[in-house]
Amino acid sequence: MNTDYLVIFNPVANKRRAKHQWPEIKKQLDVNDIKYRLKITRRPLHCVSIISHYLVTSFRSDSLPKAIIVIGGDGTVHETIEGIHAAQSKNESIPNVPVLIIPTGANNNFYTHMKQQHNMNSNFIEQIKNHHVENHEIGLFDEHIKKQRGIFLNNLGIGLDANVFNLKNNFISHKINLKTRIEYYLSIFPTIYNLSTFHVDIKANGEKHKIKKAFMVTALNHDTDNDIELLVLTRKNIFQLCYVIMRVLFKRELKVKSAFRITSDNIHVEIPSLEYAHADGETLGSRFYDIEYRKTKYPFIY
């Protein structure tokens, strides 16, 4: 059967509530005679391998999808674009396939900002039929030590928030129940107690900055301009740590007056110690860092 669209569905998005939304979404797609191929993600980074393989194979048979429909949250959208880039690393002729988002995550911050900026129609069937494609700003990073290039839709964090997301992802692999939730929240306290600080060297706007005793470095993609904002938090006291960790847990915007902030279209950061990192909640592991942040554009269907 010929398929016009690839549908990526993450059934565990929003604490597995997304799977209850699929029957109605499927009904709408079928009633409107949308031809699609469904792929379901089963584990972290599964989406990347699914899309990479699908695009490489479909390109060879001259049957690339018109677009990729993503049913999930920011993490699923993140992995989708990473999967497209992975396919392009195998075959440079593969184009940027447009992405249409059906938000079913717990926090759909990227979609929400995009909707506000472009006054989007929230009816996904109309979006599919109109097929209006526009480029939208996303964050791009190059980590030079491991020679890794990747993207971030909302933020890329090193330090405290990445440690929290690493714990969270470890617990996601278990069955979610009250006992698991309690164990997860209790495990955060040792993380705070054992938190170590690190040095950060920053180059931006022709200036150099050296910061000691940092515990969190976050690059933010504000999709209303061409600059990346870098936020560096230095350790003050236990109350500050608790405030920050609560904002991280509930994915709220950080508002810390004492933080070091800088904005630029290109920011270079070096961290000479092993620290965890995450991009949009997707863990990048523990490593040393020689990393550059900037912006790029990617096509989305509005």
Side-chain angles (χ1 to χ4, degrees), residues 53-65:
H53 176 76
Y54 188 90
L55 293 184
V56 169
T57 304
S58 61
F59 183 82
R60 288 174 186 163
S61 59
D62 195 25
S63 58
L64 276 177

Side-chain angles (χ1 to χ4, degrees), residues 120-134:
M120 287 169 52
N121 186 340
S122 58
N123 186 319
F124 66 87
I125 294 298
E126 290 186 17
Q127 289 178 348
I128 292 172
K129 290 181 177 179
N130 294 334
H131 200 84
H132 176 69
V133 180
E134 283 192 29

Side-chain angles (χ1 to χ4, degrees), residues 1-62:
M1 181 182 71
N2 292 327
T3 56
D4 293 333
Y5 297 92
L6 171 63
V7 173
I8 296 294
F9 174 46
N10 179 7
V12 301
N14 194 12
K15 301 173 184 175
R16 292 179 167 80
R17 295 187 183 116
K19 66 180 180 181
H20 301 299
Q21 296 174 261
W22 167 244
E24 180 58 30
I25 294 172
K26 181 181 185 302
K27 178 182 176 181
Q28 291 296 320
L29 292 171
D30 294 342
V31 165
N32 287 276
D33 197 29
I34 306 297
K35 296 180 175 61
Y36 63 91
R37 180 75 177 272
L38 175 65
K39 296 288 185 179
I40 300 175
T41 65
R42 303 293 184 186
R43 57 188 179 276
L45 299 180
H46 189 204
C47 180
V48 176
S49 59
I50 288 174
I51 291 175
S52 176
H53 176 76
Y54 188 90
L55 293 184
V56 169
T57 304
S58 61
F59 183 82
R60 288 174 186 163
S61 59
D62 195 25

Side-chain angles (χ1 to χ4, degrees), residues 84-240:
I84 295 167
H85 287 169
Q88 291 169 337
S89 69
K90 298 174 183 177
N91 188 335
E92 294 180 354
S93 298
I94 295 174
N96 283 338
V97 180
V99 170
L100 185 151
I101 304 170
I102 301 177
T104 59
N107 289 280
N108 306 292
N109 293 329
F110 180 74
Y111 174 84
T112 301
H113 292 157
M114 193 166 62
K115 182 178 179 181
Q116 291 171 347
Q117 184 178 345
H118 298 280
N119 194 25
M120 287 169 52
N121 186 340
S122 58
N123 186 319
F124 66 87
I125 294 298
E126 290 186 17
Q127 289 178 348
I128 292 172
K129 290 181 177 179
N130 294 334
H131 200 84
H132 176 69
V133 180
E134 283 192 29
N135 287 324
H136 192 78
E137 301 276 359
I138 62 173
L140 181 72
F141 73 89
D142 283 294
E143 204 291 295
H144 299 299
I145 296 176
K146 289 197 172 184
K147 295 180 172 57
Q148 178 186 3
R149 170 168 289 186
I151 63 104
F152 57 100
L153 306 176
N154 300 308
N155 58 73
L156 190 155
I158 302 172
L160 176 63
D161 57 341
N163 279 276
V164 172
F165 282 121
N166 186 56
L167 277 173
K168 182 179 180 181
N169 288 341
N170 287 337
F171 276 94
I172 283 176
S173 61
H174 299 79
K175 184 178 179 180
I176 297 176
N177 51 39
L178 180 60
K179 179 175 178 291
T180 306
R181 292 180 188 279
I182 293 173
E183 289 176 349
Y184 166 59
Y185 287 115
L186 288 177
S187 69
I188 292 172
F189 290 101
T191 300
I192 297 175
Y193 181 79
N194 296 316
L195 183 69
S196 60
T197 58
F198 48 88
H199 295 321
V200 183
D201 292 329
I202 302 168
K203 295 178 185 177
N205 302 321
E207 299 179 347
K208 295 181 180 180
H209 306 270
K210 291 184 178 291
I211 300 176
K212 298 180 180 180
K213 294 185 177 181
F215 68 86
M216 184 169 149
V217 178
T218 301
L220 301 168
N221 171 34
H222 299 302
D223 45 21
T224 55
D225 56 48
N226 295 321
D227 288 341
I228 293 291
E229 180 181 17
L230 190 73
L231 173 70
V232 182
L233 300 182
T234 53
R235 189 162 185 169
K236 300 293 183 183
N237 53 58
I238 190 64
F239 301 106
Q240 178 210 41

